[in-house]
Coordinates of all heavy atoms in Angstrom, one line a residue:
T1 N 118.0 55.8 -55.8 CA 117.8 56.2 -57.2 C 116.4 56.9 -57.3 O 116.3 58.0 -57.8 CB 117.9 55.1 -58.1 OG1 119.2 54.5 -57.9 CG2 117.8 55.6 -59.6
C2 N 115.3 56.1 -56.9 CA 114.0 56.7 -57.1 C 113.4 57.4 -55.9 O 112.3 57.9 -55.9 CB 113.0 55.6 -57.6 SG 112.8 54.3 -56.4
K3 N 114.2 57.4 -54.8 CA 113.9 58.1 -53.6 C 112.5 57.6 -53.0 O 111.7 58.4 -52.6 CB 113.8 59.6 -53.8 CG 115.0 60.2 -54.5 CD 116.1 60.5 -53.5 CE 117.1 61.4 -54.1 NZ 118.3 60.7 -54.4
D4 N 112.3 56.3 -53.0 CA 111.1 55.7 -52.5 C 111.4 54.4 -51.7 O 112.5 53.8 -52.0 CB 110.1 55.5 -53.6 CG 108.7 55.2 -53.2 OD1 108.4 55.5 -52.0 OD2 107.9 54.8 -54.0
H5 N 110.5 54.0 -50.9 CA 110.7 52.7 -50.2 C 110.1 51.6 -51.1 O 109.0 51.7 -51.6 CB 110.0 52.7 -48.9 CG 110.7 53.5 -47.8 ND1 110.5 54.9 -47.7 CD2 111.6 53.2 -46.9 CE1 111.3 55.3 -46.7 NE2 112.0 54.3 -46.2
K6 N 110.9 50.5 -51.3 CA 110.5 49.4 -52.1 C 110.6 48.1 -51.4 O 111.4 48.0 -50.4 CB 111.4 49.3 -53.4 CG 111.5 50.5 -54.2 CD 110.3 50.7 -55.0 CE 110.4 51.8 -56.0 NZ 109.2 52.0 -56.8
Q7 N 109.7 47.2 -51.8 CA 109.8 45.8 -51.2 C 111.1 45.2 -51.8 O 111.3 45.2 -53.0 CB 108.6 45.0 -51.5 CG 108.4 43.8 -50.7 CD 108.2 44.1 -49.2 OE1 107.8 45.1 -48.8 NE2 108.6 43.1 -48.4
A8 N 111.9 44.5 -50.9 CA 113.1 43.9 -51.4 C 113.3 42.5 -50.9 O 112.7 42.1 -49.9 CB 114.3 44.8 -50.9
T9 N 114.1 41.7 -51.6 CA 114.4 40.4 -51.2 C 115.9 40.2 -51.2 O 116.6 41.0 -52.0 CB 113.8 39.3 -52.1 OG1 114.2 39.6 -53.5 CG2 112.3 39.4 -52.1
K10 N 116.4 39.3 -50.5 CA 117.9 39.0 -50.5 C 118.1 37.7 -51.2 O 117.3 36.8 -51.1 CB 118.4 38.9 -49.1 CG 118.5 40.2 -48.4 CD 119.1 40.0 -47.0 CE 119.2 41.3 -46.3 NZ 119.9 41.2 -45.0
K11 N 119.2 37.6 -52.0 CA 119.5 36.3 -52.7 C 120.9 36.0 -52.4 O 121.8 36.8 -52.3 CB 119.3 36.6 -54.2 CG 119.6 35.4 -55.0 CD 119.5 35.7 -56.5 CE 119.8 34.6 -57.4 NZ 121.2 34.3 -57.6
I12 N 121.2 34.7 -52.2 CA 122.5 34.2 -52.0 C 122.8 33.0 -52.9 O 121.9 32.2 -53.1 CB 122.8 33.9 -50.5 CG1 124.2 33.5 -50.3 CG2 121.9 32.8 -50.0 CD1 124.6 33.4 -48.9
D13 N 123.9 32.9 -53.6 CA 124.3 31.8 -54.4 C 125.3 31.0 -53.6 O 126.3 31.5 -53.2 CB 124.9 32.2 -55.7 CG 123.8 32.8 -56.7 OD1 122.7 32.4 -56.6 OD2 124.2 33.7 -57.5
L14 N 125.1 29.7 -53.5 CA 126.1 28.8 -52.9 C 126.9 28.0 -53.9 O 126.3 27.2 -54.7 CB 125.3 27.8 -52.0 CG 124.5 28.5 -50.9 CD1 123.6 27.4 -50.1 CD2 125.3 29.2 -49.9
W15 N 128.1 28.3 -54.0 CA 129.0 27.7 -55.0 C 129.7 26.5 -54.4 O 129.6 25.4 -54.9 CB 130.0 28.7 -55.5 CG 129.4 29.7 -56.4 CD1 128.8 30.8 -56.0 CD2 129.3 29.7 -57.8 NE1 128.3 31.5 -57.1 CE2 128.6 30.8 -58.2 CE3 129.7 28.8 -58.8 CZ2 128.4 31.1 -59.5 CZ3 129.5 29.1 -60.1 CH2 128.8 30.3 -60.5
N16 N 130.4 26.7 -53.3 CA 131.1 25.6 -52.6 C 130.6 25.6 -51.2 O 130.5 26.6 -50.5 CB 132.6 25.9 -52.6 CG 133.2 25.8 -53.9 OD1 132.9 24.9 -54.7 ND2 134.1 26.7 -54.2
L17 N 130.2 24.4 -50.7 CA 129.7 24.3 -49.4 C 130.8 23.8 -48.4 O 131.6 23.0 -48.7 CB 128.5 23.3 -49.4 CG 127.3 23.7 -50.2 CD1 126.3 22.6 -50.2 CD2 126.7 24.9 -49.6
P18 N 130.8 24.4 -47.2 CA 131.9 24.0 -46.2 C 131.5 22.7 -45.6 O 130.4 22.2 -45.7 CB 131.8 25.2 -45.2 CG 130.4 25.6 -45.3 CD 130.0 25.5 -46.7
Q19 N 132.5 22.1 -45.0 CA 132.3 20.8 -44.3 C 131.4 21.1 -43.1 O 130.5 20.2 -42.8 CB 133.6 20.2 -43.8 CG 133.5 18.8 -43.3 CD 134.9 18.2 -43.0 OE1 135.9 18.9 -43.1 NE2 134.9 17.0 -42.6
I20 N 131.6 22.2 -42.4 CA 130.7 22.5 -41.2 C 130.1 23.9 -41.6 O 130.7 24.8 -41.9 CB 131.6 22.7 -40.0 CG1 132.2 21.4 -39.6 CG2 130.7 23.2 -38.8 CD1 133.2 21.4 -38.5
L21 N 128.7 23.9 -41.5 CA 128.0 25.1 -41.8 C 127.5 25.7 -40.5 O 126.9 25.1 -39.7 CB 126.8 24.7 -42.7 CG 125.8 25.9 -43.1 CD1 126.6 26.8 -44.1 CD2 124.6 25.3 -43.7
I22 N 127.8 27.0 -40.3 CA 127.3 27.8 -39.2 C 126.3 28.8 -39.6 O 126.6 29.6 -40.5 CB 128.5 28.4 -38.4 CG1 129.5 27.4 -37.9 CG2 128.0 29.3 -37.3 CD1 130.8 27.9 -37.4
V23 N 125.2 28.9 -39.0 CA 124.1 29.8 -39.4 C 123.9 30.7 -38.2 O 123.6 30.2 -37.1 CB 122.8 29.1 -39.8 CG1 121.7 30.1 -40.1 CG2 123.1 28.2 -41.0
Q24 N 124.0 32.0 -38.4 CA 123.7 33.0 -37.3 C 122.5 33.8 -37.7 O 122.5 34.4 -38.8 CB 124.9 33.8 -37.0 CG 124.7 34.9 -36.0 CD 125.9 35.7 -35.7 OE1 126.9 35.6 -36.4 NE2 125.8 36.6 -34.8
L25 N 121.5 33.9 -36.8 CA 120.4 34.8 -37.1 C 120.5 36.0 -36.2 O 120.6 36.0 -35.0 CB 119.1 34.0 -36.7 CG 118.9 32.7 -37.4 CD1 117.6 32.0 -36.9 CD2 118.8 32.9 -38.9
K26 N 120.4 37.2 -36.9 CA 120.4 38.4 -36.2 C 118.9 38.7 -35.9 O 118.1 38.9 -36.8 CB 120.9 39.6 -37.0 CG 122.4 39.3 -37.4 CD 123.3 39.8 -36.4 CE 124.7 39.6 -36.8 NZ 125.6 40.2 -36.0
R27 N 118.5 38.7 -34.6 CA 117.1 38.8 -34.2 C 116.8 40.1 -33.6 O 116.4 40.2 -32.4 CB 116.8 37.6 -33.3 CG 117.2 36.3 -33.9 CD 116.2 35.2 -34.1 NE 115.2 35.2 -33.1 CZ 113.9 35.2 -33.4 NH1 113.6 35.3 -34.6 NH2 113.1 35.1 -32.4
F28 N 117.1 41.2 -34.3 CA 116.8 42.5 -33.8 C 116.0 43.3 -34.9 O 116.2 43.1 -36.1 CB 118.1 43.3 -33.5 CG 118.9 42.6 -32.5 CD1 120.1 41.9 -32.9 CD2 118.6 42.6 -31.2 CE1 120.8 41.3 -31.9 CE2 119.4 42.0 -30.2 CZ 120.5 41.3 -30.6
Q29 N 115.1 44.1 -34.4 CA 114.4 45.0 -35.3 C 114.7 46.4 -34.9 O 114.7 46.8 -33.8 CB 112.9 44.7 -35.2 CG 112.0 45.6 -36.0 CD 110.5 45.3 -35.7 OE1 110.2 44.7 -34.7 NE2 109.7 45.7 -36.7
Y30 N 115.0 47.2 -35.9 CA 115.4 48.6 -35.7 C 114.2 49.5 -35.9 O 113.6 49.5 -37.0 CB 116.5 49.0 -36.5 CG 117.8 48.3 -36.1 CD1 118.2 47.1 -36.6 CD2 118.6 48.9 -35.1 CE1 119.3 46.4 -36.2 CE2 119.8 48.2 -34.7 CZ 120.1 47.0 -35.3 OH 121.2 46.3 -34.9
V31 N 113.8 50.3 -34.9 CA 112.7 51.2 -35.0 C 113.2 52.6 -34.6 O 113.6 52.8 -33.4 CB 111.5 50.8 -34.1 CG1 110.4 51.9 -34.2 CG2 111.0 49.4 -34.5
H32 N 113.2 53.5 -35.5 CA 113.8 54.9 -35.3 C 115.2 54.8 -34.7 O 115.6 55.4 -33.7 CB 112.9 55.6 -34.3 CG 111.5 55.8 -34.8 ND1 111.2 56.5 -35.9 CD2 110.3 55.3 -34.4 CE1 109.9 56.5 -36.1 NE2 109.3 55.7 -35.2
H33 N 116.0 53.9 -35.3 CA 117.4 53.8 -35.0 C 117.7 53.2 -33.6 O 118.8 53.3 -33.0 CB 118.2 55.1 -35.1 CG 118.1 55.7 -36.5 ND1 118.6 55.1 -37.6 CD2 117.4 56.8 -36.9 CE1 118.4 55.9 -38.7 NE2 117.6 56.9 -38.3
I34 N 116.7 52.6 -33.0 CA 116.8 51.9 -31.7 C 116.5 50.4 -32.0 O 115.5 50.0 -32.6 CB 115.8 52.4 -30.7 CG1 116.1 53.9 -30.5 CG2 115.9 51.7 -29.4 CD1 115.1 54.6 -29.6
A35 N 117.4 49.5 -31.5 CA 117.3 48.1 -31.7 C 116.4 47.5 -30.7 O 116.5 47.8 -29.5 CB 118.7 47.4 -31.7
H36 N 115.4 46.7 -31.1 CA 114.6 45.9 -30.3 C 114.7 44.4 -30.6 O 114.8 44.1 -31.7 CB 113.1 46.3 -30.5 CG 112.8 47.7 -30.1 ND1 112.6 48.2 -28.8 CD2 112.7 48.8 -30.9 CE1 112.4 49.5 -28.8 NE2 112.5 49.9 -30.1
R37 N 114.7 43.6 -29.6 CA 114.9 42.2 -29.7 C 113.6 41.6 -30.2 O 112.5 41.9 -29.8 CB 115.2 41.6 -28.4 CG 115.7 40.3 -28.4 CD 115.9 39.8 -27.0 NE 115.8 38.4 -27.0 CZ 116.8 37.6 -26.8 NH1 117.9 38.1 -26.5 NH2 116.6 36.3 -26.9
I38 N 113.7 40.6 -31.2 CA 112.5 39.9 -31.7 C 112.4 38.6 -30.8 O 113.4 37.8 -30.8 CB 112.7 39.6 -33.2 CG1 112.8 40.8 -34.0 CG2 111.6 38.7 -33.7 CD1 113.2 40.6 -35.4
N39 N 111.3 38.4 -30.2 CA 111.2 37.3 -29.2 C 110.4 36.1 -29.8 O 110.1 35.2 -29.0 CB 110.5 37.8 -27.9 CG 111.5 38.7 -27.1 OD1 112.7 38.4 -27.1 ND2 111.0 39.7 -26.6
S40 N 110.0 36.2 -31.0 CA 109.2 35.1 -31.6 C 110.1 33.8 -31.7 O 111.3 33.9 -31.9 CB 108.6 35.4 -33.0 OG 109.7 35.7 -33.8
S41 N 109.5 32.6 -31.7 CA 110.2 31.4 -31.7 C 110.7 31.1 -33.2 O 110.1 31.5 -34.1 CB 109.3 30.2 -31.3 OG 108.9 30.4 -30.0
V42 N 111.8 30.4 -33.3 CA 112.4 30.0 -34.5 C 112.3 28.5 -34.6 O 112.9 27.8 -33.8 CB 113.8 30.5 -34.7 CG1 114.4 30.0 -36.0 CG2 113.9 32.0 -34.6
A43 N 111.7 28.0 -35.6 CA 111.7 26.5 -35.9 C 112.8 26.2 -36.8 O 113.0 26.8 -37.9 CB 110.3 26.1 -36.5
Y44 N 113.6 25.2 -36.5 CA 114.7 24.8 -37.3 C 114.8 23.3 -37.5 O 114.4 22.6 -36.6 CB 116.1 25.4 -36.8 CG 116.2 25.2 -35.3 CD1 116.7 24.0 -34.7 CD2 115.9 26.3 -34.4 CE1 116.8 23.9 -33.4 CE2 116.0 26.1 -33.1 CZ 116.5 24.9 -32.5 OH 116.6 24.8 -31.2
P45 N 115.2 22.8 -38.6 CA 115.2 21.4 -38.9 C 116.4 20.7 -38.2 O 117.4 21.4 -38.0 CB 115.3 21.3 -40.4 CG 116.0 22.5 -40.8 CD 115.6 23.6 -39.8

């Protein structure tokens, strides 16, 4: 709409929770339409 780059956030609403929850992290960064793997560690509880 404004033809500019803006800082954005994602929001998700959880209405019903499943008995088993599966979380998948896409760990790629796209630079000039080429995917690069993100190798930093992920801490999870």
Side-chain angles (χ1 to χ4, degrees):
T1 305
C2 64
K3 309 276 193 254
D4 195 15
H5 286 87
K6 301 287 184 180
Q7 194 64 26
T9 58
K10 290 185 180 182
K11 180 182 180 282
I12 185 170
D13 288 330
L14 301 173
W15 290 82
N16 294 319
L17 296 174
Q19 188 174 8
I20 298 173
L21 179 68
I22 298 172
V23 177
Q24 178 181 0
L25 302 176
K26 300 277 185 171
R27 309 239 321 127
F28 302 104
Q29 178 181 20
Y30 292 89
V31 178
H32 302 295
H33 304 292
I34 298 173
H36 296 281
R37 194 184 153 109
I38 299 171
N39 289 320
S40 59
S41 296
V42 175
Y44 43 84

